[in-house]
Amino acid sequence: GKAVLLYGGAGSSESPTTVLTVKNCVFNDDDTLDVKKAAIETGNDYGATYILNITNANVNGFAINPEGKATGTTLWANKNSMDAAHLTVTIDGNEVPAVTTIVKSLDDLNIALDSGVSYIKLGADIDLTGAGGSEQVNFISDTTIDLNGHILSGSVWSGSYLSNADETRLTIIDSSFNSDTNEGGEIYSKFRFGDGGAMMQANAVTSWQHAVTIESGRYVSNNVAIVCQVQNTNAAEGVIINGGYFGGSEDLIEGVSLPGPVGGCVEAVIGTVTINGGTFKAAQYGSVIIAESGSSNVDTVIDIYGGTFEGACMFDFGSDHSSKSIVNVYGGDFTVKNPDGTTKISATLFAYDNYTHAALVNNDMFELNIMGGSFNYDPSDYVDTEKYNVTSNGSTWTVTAK
């Protein structure tokens, strides 16, 4: 039922590892056998080790093999549940996990995390709101959560005060994410009422004790989609965003005035956020990038190298501490769409009832340094023109190094 079987002996002492390289292959299933087999199957139960390298492969037919640890693909299967010490798989230059645990409930998720599983894939939508609306994801080693096209409803926090966060990282991806349409699996969070009727803020993802990397997927909140607020100094780099969609939802609670930058995309309170790519779109009166220093000991920093950014307030600053809030822009495409047609680069507090804003901070406590990118407004006030050029072409301004 399979096209290729990687199931050799344990190898000699000189060549203990078997390497299979597959390039530019098309696997066609004639559908004559009623079996569930992937195009390439790996596995053994006697201690052999394998390296499987696949580049530019296409699969027509075949099936996801239900035996062993699920890979979630018809391309290859790990039918004997080989671990990472015995099987390394690289597809189109990206190493993929040999062992995947599929979870379909909050209980499944917690068991997988407590067991130290390195790669967790959602097999169904999971609702966190029944557990108070948020989940403090504790883990003992580097862990990847794959949304796999499903919706995680509620707020995900990377760890709790009980976590051992020494240099461990939570990575969130969505293997079904389409970067052209921004469709795929999602973490969706919104304001909610807690015990006693108190309103509780909720973010889609908060970097709390562990550092967080986001590779793909959708992250939507009517508070702020991603918040960096690391309490552990070993995770001070906070959040790295390499791709995905980050949106501000306007699904507000009727008749309630909401504090803060409602419907924002990314906020740094403690630690550093690095943005390398992605699509960022705030709600109508939300802020796209928010730098609000929450510590007197260390500056809050957001470094932007790429991505597409759109919203009413592009850069929102705030601080009630002695440290600074800093945003460094090295690249990206920035479009401001304000209801009043202006560009707001200031600290703001938006109220839901009348969309008013009020200054919160002395401007001496924030820095906006623009060293690259394209803008639909003139960013010259925040460009060191001795080192960088600002050129205009119609309604577009571009910043480049001299």
Side-chain angles (χ1 to χ4, degrees):
K2 81 281 290 180
V4 177
L5 175 62
L6 181 56
Y7 195 90
S12 65
S13 59
E14 291 80 14
S15 300
T17 301
T18 300
V19 180
L20 173 63
T21 300
V22 178
K23 293 183 178 180
N24 304 318
C25 290
V26 178
F27 297 95
N28 295 312
D29 182 6
D30 61 11
D31 200 26
T32 58
L33 296 177
D34 186 20
V35 294
K36 293 185 176 180
K37 298 289 185 179
I40 302 172
E41 302 245 336
T42 67
N44 76 80
D45 51 10
Y46 44 83
T49 58
Y50 301 121
I51 297 175
L52 173 60
N53 298 312
I54 303 173
T55 305
N56 192 29
N58 293 292
V59 179
N60 300 311
F62 293 95
I64 297 175
N65 192 335
E67 298 180 24
K69 289 294 185 180
T71 62
T73 176
T74 59
L75 177 58
W76 73 284
N78 182 9
K79 67 178 186 177
N80 289 115
S81 301
M82 298 176 68
D83 60 19
H86 293 86
L87 176 62
T88 301
V89 180
T90 302
I91 300 177
D92 293 328
N94 299 309
E95 186 173 334
V96 299
V99 179
T100 301
T101 296
I102 295 179
V103 299
K104 297 184 178 181
S105 68
L106 179 57
D107 287 342
D108 289 347
L109 176 60
N110 285 328
I111 291 171
L113 291 167
D114 292 341
S115 301
V117 174
S118 62
Y119 195 95
I120 300 170
K121 179 179 288 189
L122 268 60
D125 295 347
I126 297 178
D127 189 353
L128 304 178
T129 57
S134 64
E135 173 71 356
Q136 292 183 333
V137 179
N138 296 302
F139 48 94
I140 60 178
S141 59
D142 290 348
T143 301
T144 296
I145 296 178
D146 181 355
L147 300 176
N148 191 30
H150 293 286
I151 296 176
L152 194 59
S153 300
S155 183
V156 174
W157 292 60
S158 65
S160 70
Y161 283 118
L162 301 177
S163 297
N164 176 13
D166 291 343
E167 299 182 0
T168 54
R169 177 172 291 277
L170 173 65
T171 299
I172 306 176
I173 72 168
D174 175 36
S175 55
S176 73
F177 184 71
N178 186 326
S179 59
D180 293 327
T181 62
N182 289 319
E183 295 178 347
E186 178 176 293
I187 298 180
Y188 174 76
S189 183
K190 64 180 180 179
F191 284 93
R192 65 193 188 281
F193 288 103
D195 295 338
M199 179 172 286
M200 303 175 66
Q201 292 188 2
N203 315 302
V205 177
T206 299
S207 175
W208 184 246
Q209 290 292 324
H210 306 278
V212 174
T213 295
I214 296 177
E215 297 288 352
S216 54
R218 292 175 52 85
Y219 306 86
V220 179
S221 173
N222 63 1
N223 184 37
V224 181
I226 308 295
V227 172
C228 178
Q229 194 172 355
V230 288
Q231 307 296 304
N232 188 296
T233 56
N234 291 323
E237 65 178 334
V239 176
I240 298 174
I241 298 175
N242 293 322
Y245 174 85
F246 307 85
S249 167
E250 298 192 46
D251 181 16
L252 304 181
I253 300 174
E254 185 176 355
V256 177
S257 297
L258 299 178
V262 176
C265 297
V266 178
E267 179 176 7
V269 180
I270 303 174
T272 298
V273 175
T274 301
I275 300 175
N276 296 313
T279 299
F280 304 80
K281 187 174 182 179
Q284 183 179 8
Y285 289 89
S287 300
V288 183
I289 300 297
I290 306 151
E292 183 177 357
S293 177
S295 170
S296 299
N297 301 317
V298 60
D299 291 341
T300 293
V301 180
I302 300 178
D303 292 325
I304 302 173
Y305 294 91
T308 301
F309 305 83
E310 179 181 320
C313 180
M314 185 60 65
F315 304 105
D316 189 350
F317 293 83
S319 174
D320 55 5
H321 295 277
S322 58
S323 56
K324 285 188 174 182
S325 302
I326 302 170
V327 176
N328 299 312
V329 179
Y330 301 93
D333 186 1
F334 300 85
T335 301
V336 170
K337 292 185 176 180
N338 285 325
D340 59 5
T342 63
T343 300
K344 297 186 180 71
I345 304 179
S346 63
T348 55
L349 175 64
F350 290 102
Y352 174 51
D353 52 0
N354 57 11
Y355 301 110
T356 59
H357 66 276
L360 290 176
V361 63
N362 184 334
N363 288 354
D364 291 339
M365 296 308 296
F366 76 75
E367 290 184 14
L368 175 59
N369 305 306
I370 297 179
M371 294 161 279
S374 61
F375 304 79
N376 72 332
Y377 60 92
D378 186 354
S380 297
D381 288 346
Y382 301 93
V383 177
D384 183 349
T385 54
E386 293 186 359
K387 297 180 180 179
Y388 300 93
N389 297 311
V390 180
T391 57
S392 62
N393 182 7
S395 58
T396 300
W397 285 259
T398 303
V399 179
T400 56
K402 289 187 174 180

